[in-house]
Amino acid sequence: MRLRLAVCILIVALLGAVVATPALAQGRGRGEASHDQSDSKKAAPPAEAVEVVQYGFAPRDREIITAYYTQRASSLPPGLAKRHGALAPGLEKQLRRNGTLVA
């Protein structure tokens, strides 16, 4: 009976450690949560220091991508190549009936 009680206490302690470890590793322990909120309000950068970054493709990049995919457009999977790109009869019927293809 004592062995069983000791094993249960050990399991509860290990589970508590497993649950608490990630929270403490991220600095989100009990006493630190209130400090993080007050620090984030103070650490906000001024509006003029914020950089705006725009992502996109250069014209040369667009040409390369377009050329790559136009060369590969003719290579259909074997099932569609036999039908010259047409859908399977059941899918064509569903497309006509519903206007969309839904899985």
Side-chain angles (χ1 to χ4, degrees), residues 50-69:
V50 176
E51 248 182 77
V52 177
V53 179
Q54 293 182 345
Y55 297 98
F57 293 105
R60 176 71 182 136
D61 297 335
R62 286 190 196 105
E63 291 174 16
I64 292 171
I65 294 169
T66 304
Y68 175 81
Y69 281 106

Side-chain angles (χ1 to χ4, degrees), residues 91 94-102:
L91 292 176
Q94 181 181 355
L95 184 60
R96 272 186 271 129
R97 189 178 331 132
N98 300 338
T100 61
L101 295 176
V102 180

Side-chain angles (χ1 to χ4, degrees), residues 9-103:
I9 291 173
L10 180 64
I11 289 173
V12 168
L14 287 174
L15 286 175
V18 168
V19 170
T21 301
L24 294 174
Q26 293 178 355
R28 302 275 186 235
R30 287 184 182 174
E32 299 175 19
S34 62
H35 298 300
D36 289 343
Q37 292 171 355
S38 62
D39 290 343
S40 65
K41 291 178 183 174
K42 294 177 186 176
E48 62 270 7
V50 176
E51 248 182 77
V52 177
V53 179
Q54 293 182 345
Y55 297 98
F57 293 105
R60 176 71 182 136
D61 297 335
R62 286 190 196 105
E63 291 174 16
I64 292 171
I65 294 169
T66 304
Y68 175 81
Y69 281 106
T70 53
Q71 292 172 358
R72 298 214 176 241
S74 62
S75 60
L76 293 173
L80 288 178
K82 292 177 187 175
R83 296 187 187 106
H84 303 290
L87 292 173
L91 292 176
E92 284 184 18
K93 184 177 179 182
Q94 181 181 355
L95 184 60
R96 272 186 271 129
R97 189 178 331 132
N98 300 338
T100 61
L101 295 176
V102 180

